[in-house]
Amino acid sequence: MSFIGTWDASPSWGLVGRREAATSMWRLARDAAVRVEAGRGMELRCEVGTLLVTRAGDLEDHVLEAGDRIRLSRRDRAVVWALREATASAVPLAP
């Protein structure tokens, strides 16, 4: 899984050890965007703030508030845009 994007401020992300899987987390300033490639699949979670998620091939955009989540299937590509300062996490799906 890869995270490629730009931030208004330097990113604050890293791997956080979890029992079931490693979780990637990052902080996005307002109006910052990041491109996400789901690899084998993941659950994208909005921890804080508000995110807009646009998936390739999906006609709908998805707004995630704190506590909301969306599942990205194998090989999904998405752009995650912070409508306001936000923290997001991505948990890989079990194989």
Side-chain angles (χ1 to χ4, degrees):
M1 124 182 35
S2 66
F3 301 102
I4 304 166
T6 58
W7 294 266
D8 289 344
S10 61
S12 171
W13 63 279
L15 295 178
V16 178
R18 290 179 54 124
R19 207 173 185 144
E20 69 275 7
T23 301
S24 297
M25 297 189 76
W26 67 101
R27 178 174 292 174
L28 296 168
R30 182 175 184 225
D31 289 329
V34 63
R35 189 176 111 202
V36 177
E37 295 180 17
R40 296 183 195 172
M42 70 172 65
E43 182 177 83
L44 180 66
R45 301 175 182 173
C46 180
E47 304 292 342
V48 175
T50 305
L51 300 170
L52 177 76
V53 180
T54 301
R55 290 189 290 194
D58 188 347
L59 298 178
E60 294 184 39
D61 291 338
H62 305 272
V63 176
L64 304 181
E65 298 285 343
D68 292 342
R69 54 191 70 198
I70 189 169
R71 188 179 188 126
L72 301 179
S73 300
R74 179 179 299 257
R75 297 188 184 134
D76 263 354
R77 291 174 296 147
V79 174
V80 179
W81 177 34
L83 297 178
R84 62 182 176 148
E85 188 173 318
T87 300
S89 65
V91 178
L93 298 177

